[in-house]
């Protein structure tokens, strides 16, 4: 029988303090108020003074409310029954389904021994050319989507979720707007992917402290599925909200703030989550795709900056496109070699981006009123085609189709020598001129 | 030994307050006893009857009243034969052995011996009974891979000792007694092949520390020729994320001409660390034909491993480096990244509620960074041999801004600054070391004046390039334009290197001296071009010729043939070399 305390000594922000003994660090407690029950977690102990962060927030808590320590740290249920279900940031169902109490597993477990990892070298096809061709997503990769408010980052996540070749998807919503959450749900439902998905959803109107738990719940469940051999894709949106919640608690706790008010351990906190991405030797894998909105489009802001040093690349989303310049998949070299992909993959990847860079220069010259040469005209045509046929996020084609399309676009705009591609590849892949024409006619 | 005990009175993150009884010391190691687990921690502050411990593990589940045992010893590493080829965490736990024993995850509160205690080593004595020795003097040797590992008088012995007995040639375990030595007061001490050393105290069992002057050949042309590193010196590699720090480190760890490389991956991405862990054992050491791992020690703390262990990892690495230096070897320590280490310091300082300094880093940031780099050096050992420990650290400045405290504090104490540039990385210019912003206080093996003139050319070329952005090509004189082409040529054929090409990836000292002369000849030549297009065409050809040349092995006839073609091309177009 655990002791019950009903004298709350301090309430400050979402943190309360009680005098209690025999309490362990990070233990859970249940707080019963007039409005119902909420979980809370021990975040500091000083002699018999115990500070707890209340998941549902401290609003309406009275000093005489009951605090009951549960004698265990945060846990989450784990079973196949979770598929197709939606939970909140405390791990309770937020759909109309039954409470699951099967097997409880601890969250935020120990990190993976680097000696047991395997080098990531399997591509996850998404059928989005800007990803598959130019910055391939790799099993076990952790990638943020750097973005600003208003960009279609959640649409992109939902599309990846629909199209990615994985066994299952775990979506962690952190402070998501309610309509964004519904859009996710509807997209996955319509696409028939809901039955292979699990949602942990904290919306903007839900308690902010619960948003802190979402990544841990999602990743703990993902880890168990991965250990059972499943290829799991974890989507997190938005990790800036997670960081802001950390900041709020840290300041409430009067911790010495570090950069721009964020706590000194922001890097460790983010890394502890992102590093859960793994390809287990002899079991499944976890791949993490997360949204990081950049306040003021500023990549040097502490959240994107710290994230960039932890993750294996990033997708920049600019004006509705995945930017071919800022974006980077650090692991793409592991999957786009001739034996793992197609032998023209790297050449197309580099060649088309180099030409696109030249197009951008021409575009700049054009906007400054310089006269356009014949070469400039070719580049302008190329840039337009590239944007429309390759960069548009609604394009949904296989990697092979995308590579073929790349050759078509090149053939339509340039002579083989102008592309600077290697002659032996041109010999094999350069489309028949007449065919190229037919293809473009067909599209017009 | 104190063997003090205590009980936990408070917990906040990985910082634990402990009421203690007995004698304890600053930085002493303590263990928190939690059922079967023994959580390692270090005393970081002592108050009135309360010790503050930073715990090297997760503190989840600890309670007020939990027992604490103090060890009476500082955080130490075990030294002895068998360190080479190992992969350790920041506290010297062998990660592959942990994986064998515990599987995928790193369980809390477990320690495994860093060295194999069962393995036997073939010992050959180097002293005899009655010899007078001091700390650091080898009593004998055991072969460890390609090296003779010196079994030395432990560094904590001060004064002169007389050898009482010494083991004969034969096989011994590291814990077997191999000698007895007698101090000046007549006390006898048993010596085995292993001993411990506190990581935060530098090893100084040498005769003298000397100013480093001899270049350490890294085989990266831009470094060796323009921004050289000296054996026993220090350098830093700052750069924003995506600029190629990790790749450059890997290249240096493979090609730098030293005996031993120690890589400290401190708070790095597990995905990149795993490449190091899996690739190194398979890579061939060009010098020995054996695996690179035979002369490497890797210290790994991924960014999700506990922060206090991350803080310890650079000290563990530098101590191992100093140990091998004591044997007369040239050691290179690469720390990636020192910013992660500094951040760990900041995190711990925040938990201690210390008054924050600039950007919330602790006030002692600079002195800690200085202390770390100062552990490098070229030394003359008691045996008269020379040996060196070179330290290179990467810095990951927030937002790629070199004004921030870690970069600035590092710049104050290092001998060379290899600044990486995002623009160069984006333009696929590898290594992305910026030739106009980097510097070195050491001397290259190439003539100073020639380097100065080449750098002038780069500067002039850069100015012309910027001017052309405003006035266009037409507004530039042919002479300026040629300078621009020359600086681009120097950049393309000499500063940049193809890391994926077998030959071009590593350029020896002799080859650098040889081809630099040829490059310099191009820079010094006045080419007679009738217009800018003509000049551009010529330099495109020159560039192609030189790049092809870079791919050809120096020992071959083809190399000479290519050189002749280059000479002819230069001669044919030169305005001032016609008579040659």
């Amino acid at each position: 029988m655990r002791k019950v305390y009903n004298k709350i000594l301090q309430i400050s922000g979402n943190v309360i303090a009680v005098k209690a003994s025999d309490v362990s660090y990070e233990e859970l407690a249940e707080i019963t108020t007039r409005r119902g029950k909420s979980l809370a977690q021990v975040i500091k102990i000083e002699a018999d003074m115990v500070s707890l962060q209340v998941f549902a927030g401290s609003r309406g808590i009275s000093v005489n409310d009951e605090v009951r320590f549960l004698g265990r740290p945060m846990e989450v249920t784990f079973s196949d029954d979770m598929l197709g279900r939606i939970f909140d940031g405390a791990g309770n169902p937020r759909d109309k389904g039954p409470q699951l109490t099967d097997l409880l597993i601890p969250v935020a477990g120990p990190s993976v021994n680097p000696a047991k990892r395997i080098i990531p070298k399997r591509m996850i096809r998404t059928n989005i050319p800007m990803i598959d061709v130019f910055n391939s997503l790799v099993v076990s990769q952790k990638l943020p989507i750097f973005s600003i408010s208003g960009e279609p980052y959640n649409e992109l996540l939902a599309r990846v979720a629909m199209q990615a070749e994985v066994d299952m998807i775990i979506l962690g919503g952190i402070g998501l707007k309610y309509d964004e959450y519904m859009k996710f749900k509807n997209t996955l439902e319509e696409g028939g992917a809901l039955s292979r998905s699990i949602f942990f959803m904290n919306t903007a109107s839900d308690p902010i402290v619960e948003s802190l738990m979402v990544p841990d719940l999602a990743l703990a469940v993902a880890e168990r599925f991965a250990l059972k051999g499943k290829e799991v894709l974890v989507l997190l949106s938005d990790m800036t909200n997670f960081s802001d919640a950390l900041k709020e608690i840290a300041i409430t706790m009067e911790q010495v703030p570090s950069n721009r008010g964020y706590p000194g351990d922001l890097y460790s906190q983010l890394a502890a989550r992102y590093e859960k991405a793994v390809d287990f030797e002899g079991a499944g894998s976890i791949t993490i795709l997360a949204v990081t909105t950049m306040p003021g489009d500023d990549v040097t802001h502490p959240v994107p900056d710290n994230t960039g040093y932890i993750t294996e690349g990033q997708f920049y989303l600019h004006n509705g496109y995945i930017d071919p310049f800022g974006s980077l998949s650090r692991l793409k070299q592991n999957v786009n070699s001739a034996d793992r992909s197609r032998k023209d993959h790297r050449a197309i990847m580099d060649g088309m981006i180099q030409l696109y860079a030249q197009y951008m220069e021409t575009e700049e010259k054009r906007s400054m009123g310089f006269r356009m040469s014949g070469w400039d005209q070719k580049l302008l045509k190329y840039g337009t085609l590239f944007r429309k046929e390759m960069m548009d996020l609604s394009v949904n084609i296989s990697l092979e189709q995308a590579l073929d399309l790349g050759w078509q676009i090149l053939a339509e705009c340039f002579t083989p020598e102008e592309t600077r591609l290697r002659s032996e590849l041109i010999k094999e892949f350069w489309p028949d001129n007449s065919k190229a024409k037919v293809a473009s006619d067909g599209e017009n | 030994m104190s063997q003090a005990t205590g009980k936990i009175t408070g917990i906040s993150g990985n910082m634990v307050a402990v009421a203690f009884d007995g004698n304890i010391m600053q930085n002493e190691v303590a263990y928190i006893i939690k059922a079967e687990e023994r959580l390692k921690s270090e005393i970081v502050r002592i108050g009135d009857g309360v010790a503050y411990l930073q715990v090297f593990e997760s503190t989840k589940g600890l309670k007020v009243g939990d027992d604490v045992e103090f060890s009476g010893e500082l955080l130490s590493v075990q030294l002895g034969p068998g360190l080479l080829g190992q992969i350790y965490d920041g506290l010297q736990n062998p990660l592959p052995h942990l994986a064998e024993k515990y599987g995928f995850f790193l369980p809390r509160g477990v320690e495994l011996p860093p060295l194999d205690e069962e393995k036997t080593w073939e010992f050959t004595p180097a002293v005899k009974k009655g010899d007078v020795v001091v700390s650091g003097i080898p009593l004998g040797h055991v072969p460890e891979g390609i090296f003779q590992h010196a079994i030395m008088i432990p560094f904590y012995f001060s004064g002169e000792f007389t050898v009482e007995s010494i083991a004969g040639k034969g096989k011994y375990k590291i814990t077997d007694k191999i000698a007895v030595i007698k101090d000046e007061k007549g006390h006898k001490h048993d010596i085995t092949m292993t001993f411990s050393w506190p990581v935060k105290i530098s090893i100084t069992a040498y005769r003298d520390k000397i100013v480093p002057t001899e270049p350490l050949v890294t085989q990266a042309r831009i470094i060796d020729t323009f921004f050289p590193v000296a054996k026993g010196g220090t350098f830093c590699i700052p750069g924003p994320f995506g600029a190629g720090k990790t790749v450059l480190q890997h290249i240096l760890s493979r090609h730098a001409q030293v005996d031993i490389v120690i890589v400290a991956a401190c708070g790095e991405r597990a995905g990149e660390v795993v490449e190091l862990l899996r690739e190194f054992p398979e890579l061939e050491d060009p010098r020995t034909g054996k695996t690179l791992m035979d002369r490497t020690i890797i210290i790994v703390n991924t960014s999700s491993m506990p922060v206090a262990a991350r803080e310890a990892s650079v000290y563990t690495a530098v101590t191992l480096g100093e140990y091998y230096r004591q044997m007369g070897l040239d050691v290179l320590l690469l720390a990636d990244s020192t910013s992660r280490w500094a951040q760990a310091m900041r995190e711990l300082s925040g938990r201690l509620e210390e008054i924050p300094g600039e950007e919330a880093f602790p006030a002692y940031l600079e002195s800690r960074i200085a202390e770390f780099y100062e552990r490098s050096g070229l030394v003359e050992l008691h045996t008269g041999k020379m040996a060196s420990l070179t330290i290179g650290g990467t810095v990951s400045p927030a937002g790629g801004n070199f004004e921030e405290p870690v970069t600035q504090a590092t710049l104050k104490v290092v001998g060379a600054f290899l600044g990486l540039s995002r623009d160069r990385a984006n333009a696929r210019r590898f290594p992305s070391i910026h030739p106009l912003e980097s510097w070195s206080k050491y001397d290259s093996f190439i003539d100073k004046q020639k380097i100065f003139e080449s750098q002038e050319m780069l500067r002039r070329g850069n100015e012309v390039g910027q001017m052309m952005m405003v006035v266009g090509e037409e507004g530039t004189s042919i002479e300026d334009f040629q300078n621009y082409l020359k600086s681009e040529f120097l950049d393309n054929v000499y500063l940049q290197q193809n890391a994926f090409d077998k030959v071009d990836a590593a350029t020896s000292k002799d080859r650098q001296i040889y081809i630099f002369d040829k490059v310099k000849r191009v820079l010094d030549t006045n080419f007679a071009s009738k217009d800018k297009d003509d000049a551009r065409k010529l330099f495109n050809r020159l560039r192609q010729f030189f790049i092809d040349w870079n791919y050809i092995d120096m020992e071959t006839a083809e190399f000479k043939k290519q050189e002749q073609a280059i000479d002819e091309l230069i001669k044919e177009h030169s305005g001032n070399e016609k008579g040659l």
Side-chain angles (χ1 to χ4, degrees):
Chain A
M1 191 54 206
R2 303 287 300 182
K3 263 196 193 165
V4 175
Y5 299 86
N6 50 13
K7 190 159 193 277
I8 296 173
L9 297 170
Q10 236 181 56
I11 304 176
S12 151
N14 293 317
V15 178
I16 64 165
V18 293
K19 275 201 166 176
S21 57
D22 202 30
V23 172
S24 55
Y25 193 63
E26 292 189 6
E27 179 174 342
L28 284 187
E30 194 174 69
I31 298 169
T32 312
T33 70
R34 268 179 297 172
R35 292 184 305 135
K37 289 180 172 180
S38 166
L39 288 179
Q41 187 179 32
V42 175
I43 54 171
K44 190 176 185 180
I45 307 175
E46 265 182 304
D48 58 354
M49 189 67 112
V50 178
S51 304
L52 301 118
Q53 62 180 13
V54 186
F55 289 170
S58 62
R59 195 164 298 154
I61 290 184
S62 72
V63 292
N64 289 329
D65 279 344
E66 208 172 76
V67 179
R68 194 168 65 90
F69 287 93
L70 303 180
R72 60 173 176 86
M74 187 70 187
E75 289 171 330
V76 63
T77 179
F78 169 72
S79 72
D80 285 339
D81 296 341
M82 298 179 83
L83 288 163
R85 299 289 310 272
I86 302 174
F87 303 88
D88 68 12
N92 297 315
R94 69 176 295 160
D95 54 10
K96 297 188 179 68
Q99 181 91 35
L100 295 177
T101 48
D102 282 7
L103 170 66
L104 288 173
I105 55 166
V107 305
S111 61
V112 174
N113 188 332
K116 282 295 268 188
R117 288 173 175 266
I118 42 183
I119 298 182
K121 46 175 75 143
R122 290 179 290 147
M123 189 188 300
I124 298 181
R125 288 157 171 263
T126 64
N127 282 4
I128 300 172
M130 287 312 288
I131 297 179
D132 292 358
V133 177
F134 298 100
N135 279 300
S136 320
L137 185 62
V138 181
V139 169
S140 88
Q141 194 164 24
K142 39 189 182 287
L143 268 185
I145 299 170
F146 285 167
S147 186
I148 52 170
S149 314
E151 292 285 352
Y153 46 83
N154 285 329
E155 282 84 340
L156 176 62
L157 273 195
R159 281 217 12 189
V160 172
M162 294 290 311
Q163 292 167 206
E165 286 186 325
V166 290
D167 294 331
M168 56 181 296
I169 291 148
I170 299 183
L171 172 71
I174 305 153
L176 269 193
K177 283 202 299 261
Y178 192 80
D179 52 343
E180 297 271 0
Y181 153 48
M182 290 312 286
K183 250 196 271 173
F184 260 118
K185 192 173 156 229
N186 294 339
T187 313
L188 264 61
E189 211 158 29
E190 281 159 23
L194 205 59
S195 59
R196 58 167 185 149
S197 309
I198 302 171
F199 282 31
F200 287 93
M201 191 54 64
N202 165 269
T203 67
S205 58
D206 295 332
I208 188 165
V209 187
E210 284 189 8
S211 73
L212 282 177
M213 296 312 300
V214 166
D216 289 340
L217 298 173
L219 290 162
V221 172
E223 197 164 84
R224 282 300 172 110
F225 277 110
L227 285 169
K228 290 179 87 178
K230 292 271 190 269
E231 310 284 347
V232 189
L233 176 64
V234 177
L235 307 172
L236 300 169
S237 178
D238 163 349
M239 287 301 278
T240 304
N241 290 341
F242 169 82
S243 311
D244 287 342
L246 280 179
K247 177 164 78 172
E248 190 175 314
I249 298 293
I251 290 176
T252 306
M253 295 296 294
E254 299 179 358
Q255 276 183 23
V256 178
S258 181
N259 227 345
R260 291 206 221 175
Y262 288 93
D265 62 355
L266 178 64
Y267 178 84
S268 301
Q269 294 283 3
L270 288 170
R273 275 80 191 182
Y274 281 115
E275 284 286 336
K276 291 276 175 193
V278 62
D279 197 353
F280 287 114
E281 194 167 16
S285 67
I286 300 176
T287 308
I288 300 178
L289 204 54
V291 168
T292 300
T293 49
M294 298 184 287
D297 201 10
D298 176 11
V299 72
T300 70
H301 180 278
V303 177
D305 186 56
N306 277 295
T307 304
Y309 284 113
I310 296 166
T311 53
E312 284 135 2
Q314 65 275 329
F315 294 145
Y316 271 94
L317 210 51
H318 272 144
N319 304 322
Y321 293 108
I322 295 178
D323 194 323
F325 298 122
S327 304
L328 168 73
S329 160
R330 290 174 184 268
L331 304 179
K332 68 182 171 195
Q333 276 81 2
N334 297 356
V335 298
N336 62 13
S337 58
D339 53 329
R340 299 198 170 269
S341 177
R342 217 169 78 174
K343 70 172 168 194
D344 56 332
H345 188 163
R346 282 186 185 173
I348 285 285
M349 172 181 85
D350 286 332
M352 290 195 87
I353 296 297
Q354 276 166 7
L355 286 163
Y356 189 73
Q358 293 188 46
Y359 153 74
M360 294 293 279
E361 280 172 26
T362 294
E363 185 61 53
E364 204 172 307
K365 275 196 273 179
R366 193 178 63 104
S367 65
M368 282 161 70
F370 283 104
R371 207 177 45 196
M372 298 282 92
S373 67
W375 174 240
D376 288 328
Q377 297 294 358
K378 285 185 168 190
L379 285 172
L380 287 174
K381 181 177 177 194
Y382 169 73
T384 315
L385 272 178
F386 185 72
R387 270 174 180 272
K388 183 167 147 259
E389 312 262 334
M390 284 277 201
M391 281 173 72
D392 194 302
L393 283 182
S394 64
V395 177
N396 180 359
I397 50 176
S398 73
L399 169 68
E400 289 74 17
Q401 285 172 307
L403 292 174
D404 291 343
L405 178 64
W407 287 105
Q408 290 286 356
I409 294 174
L410 291 174
E412 221 171 297
C413 305
F414 306 109
T415 65
E417 306 77 58
E418 285 168 342
T419 63
R420 286 197 277 176
L421 291 168
R422 286 218 316 276
S423 321
E424 57 165 293
L425 286 175
I426 287 180
K427 214 167 165 190
E428 189 171 343
F429 290 100
W430 196 261
D432 198 303
N433 229 358
S434 55
K435 261 197 289 177
K437 211 150 169 35
V438 173
S440 71
D441 286 348
E443 263 161 44
N444 288 335
Chain B
M1 228 174 263
S2 72
Q3 290 304 336
T5 56
K7 286 197 186 301
I8 292 182
T9 62
I11 307 152
S12 167
N14 57 0
M15 201 63 73
V16 169
V18 176
F20 66 92
D21 259 332
N23 182 28
I24 61 168
M25 62 181 162
Q26 174 77 331
N27 296 108
E28 177 172 342
V29 169
Y31 291 92
I32 296 163
I33 314 300
K34 189 77 196 168
E36 300 293 294
E37 299 172 332
R38 288 166 62 81
L39 311 189
K40 200 173 191 173
S41 60
E42 181 184 359
I43 300 175
V44 289
R45 180 197 281 173
I46 302 171
D48 186 19
V50 184
Y52 292 87
L53 272 50
Q54 68 176 31
V55 186
F56 295 114
E57 315 254 10
S58 151
T59 51
K60 188 190 272 191
L62 297 186
K63 281 181 182 176
V64 166
D66 281 346
D67 286 321
V68 178
E69 276 177 25
F70 295 91
S71 70
E73 285 179 11
L74 299 175
L75 182 65
S76 301
V77 286
Q78 195 189 358
L79 303 173
L83 290 165
L84 293 180
Q86 294 271 14
I87 298 166
Y88 291 123
D89 73 0
L91 303 173
Q92 215 193 4
N93 281 303
L95 287 169
H97 297 169
L98 281 178
E100 267 166 41
K101 204 158 174 200
Y102 300 100
F104 287 127
F105 296 99
L106 291 166
R108 190 169 77 162
V110 297
E111 280 185 287
L112 286 180
L115 294 176
D116 189 339
E117 287 168 356
E118 296 307 312
K119 188 173 175 178
T120 56
W121 300 85
E122 182 71 46
F123 177 75
T124 309
V127 294
K128 53 188 191 304
K129 187 172 184 298
D131 279 357
V132 175
V133 289
V134 295
S135 87
I137 288 285
L139 294 168
H141 296 91
V142 299
E144 182 184 17
I146 52 171
F147 302 104
Q148 284 297 319
H149 186 115
I151 306 299
M152 295 172 277
I153 305 266
F155 310 138
Y156 48 76
F157 283 126
S158 61
E160 288 189 345
F161 296 82
T162 316
V163 176
E164 278 284 299
S165 72
I166 177 81
K169 197 169 159 63
K171 288 191 173 237
Y172 302 90
K173 292 180 187 172
I174 52 168
T175 48
D176 290 341
K177 184 166 82 179
I178 54 134
V180 179
I181 56 172
K182 193 170 76 182
D183 63 24
E184 284 142 340
K185 288 184 187 146
H187 297 300
K188 290 181 181 172
H189 306 272
D190 292 348
I191 306 288
T192 63
M193 291 204 272
T194 178
F195 63 95
S196 293
W197 184 263
V199 294
K200 290 185 180 168
I201 294 174
S202 77
I203 297 172
T204 52
Y206 46 76
R207 196 180 288 159
D208 209 359
K209 201 164 174 173
I210 297 148
V211 180
T213 49
E214 190 196 338
L216 185 157
V217 179
T218 66
Q219 307 206 68
R221 293 188 292 259
I222 183 167
I223 298 178
D224 294 347
T225 302
F226 287 87
F227 312 109
V229 174
K231 268 185 190 166
T234 50
F235 62 101
C236 73
I237 309 177
F241 62 79
K245 280 188 294 294
T246 313
V247 182
L248 185 57
Q249 288 254 15
H250 286 197
I251 302 259
L252 292 180
S253 60
R254 275 173 216 183
H255 299 301
Q257 296 191 320
V258 290
D259 298 313
I260 284 168
V261 176
I262 298 175
V263 181
C266 168
E268 270 303 313
R269 305 173 181 93
E272 284 180 0
V273 168
V274 69
E275 286 183 35
L276 192 74
L277 300 187
R278 299 262 170 170
E279 273 175 21
F280 256 66
E282 284 166 23
L283 288 173
E284 190 183 289
D285 181 355
R287 294 197 308 163
T288 61
K290 298 192 175 160
T291 133
L292 262 185
M293 208 56 209
D294 284 356
R295 59 176 187 96
T296 309
I297 305 172
I298 300 178
I299 313 286
V300 168
N301 258 80
T302 62
S303 51
S304 64
M305 286 156 76
V307 63
R310 203 189 308 158
E311 197 247 354
S313 62
V314 299
Y315 294 110
T316 296
V318 76
T319 308
L320 297 180
E322 287 174 331
Y323 176 60
Y324 277 97
R325 177 181 67 187
Q326 288 301 131
M327 295 174 207
L329 299 170
D330 289 321
V331 184
L332 172 64
L333 165 63
L334 295 166
D336 187 16
S337 105
T338 57
S339 291
R340 303 282 154 265
W341 169 56
Q343 270 191 332
M345 260 192 270
R346 174 164 77 182
E347 208 172 312
L348 299 168
S349 161
R351 289 281 179 198
L352 280 170
E353 298 182 351
E354 291 169 343
I355 297 170
E358 203 182 339
E359 287 190 21
F361 284 106
Y364 44 80
L365 176 76
E366 287 202 4
S367 57
R368 291 280 164 86
I369 288 177
E371 245 169 50
F372 169 67
Y373 282 102
E374 283 293 296
R375 289 177 74 167
S376 67
L378 174 70
V379 299
E380 185 189 345
L381 301 172
H382 289 309
T383 55
K385 257 192 190 169
M386 301 296 282
S388 69
L389 171 62
T390 310
I391 298 181
T394 64
V395 187
S396 327
N401 167 23
F402 290 175
E403 309 295 308
E404 59 85 49
V406 182
T407 315
Q408 286 304 313
T410 308
L411 283 185
K412 279 188 191 173
V413 292
V414 294
F417 164 75
L418 311 173
L420 303 189
S421 127
R422 171 165 279 149
D423 286 346
R424 282 181 72 83
N426 280 347
R428 306 280 184 275
R429 292 180 181 221
F430 182 86
S432 60
I433 296 167
H434 201 294
L436 297 179
E437 284 170 13
S438 304
W439 50 258
S440 168
K441 294 177 182 167
Y442 306 115
D443 286 334
S444 164
F445 45 67
I446 285 177
D447 181 67
K448 251 187 191 164
Q449 181 62 24
K450 285 186 192 165
I451 293 170
F452 176 76
E453 287 169 12
S454 309
Q455 280 178 318
E456 276 301 296
M457 187 59 83
L458 287 172
R459 242 171 251 127
R460 232 177 305 154
N462 178 55
E463 278 165 24
V464 176
Q466 291 193 345
M467 204 172 66
M468 280 200 303
M469 305 260 267
V470 185
V471 299
E473 239 173 71
E474 305 89 75
T476 313
S477 74
I478 181 89
E479 197 197 342
D480 276 351
F481 190 68
Q482 208 175 76
N483 285 336
Y484 168 75
L485 291 174
K486 279 178 182 171
S487 85
E488 278 293 300
F489 165 82
L490 172 60
D491 193 340
N492 283 312
V493 308
Y494 200 80
L495 302 188
Q496 293 170 45
Q497 239 164 310
N498 184 347
F500 295 103
D501 183 83
K502 246 182 106 183
V503 176
D504 199 31
T507 310
S508 70
K509 175 180 167 181
D510 291 345
R511 180 169 182 145
Q512 285 189 48
I513 294 171
Y514 196 78
I515 57 171
F516 187 74
D517 269 346
K518 196 72 68 183
V519 170
K520 189 73 176 56
R521 187 173 152 202
V522 171
L523 302 183
D524 291 341
T525 303
N526 258 328
F527 290 99
S529 314
K530 56 178 192 295
D531 56 25
K532 285 174 190 143
D533 269 346
D534 197 36
R536 195 198 299 275
K537 258 183 217 150
L538 170 65
F539 274 90
N540 279 346
R541 280 185 76 195
L542 277 168
R543 181 180 64 190
Q544 199 61 42
F545 275 39
F546 270 85
I547 288 178
D548 288 343
W549 200 32
N550 283 342
Y551 292 150
I552 303 170
D553 205 315
M554 200 174 172
E555 310 304 324
T556 58
E558 224 185 314
F559 183 86
K560 280 277 162 216
K561 212 175 120 200
Q562 184 72 10
E563 187 181 1
Q564 269 173 18
I566 287 171
D567 287 340
E568 275 162 29
L569 185 65
I570 296 173
K571 212 166 173 181
E572 186 187 328
H573 290 87
S574 82
N576 60 348
E577 268 194 35
K578 275 262 152 59
L580 288 176

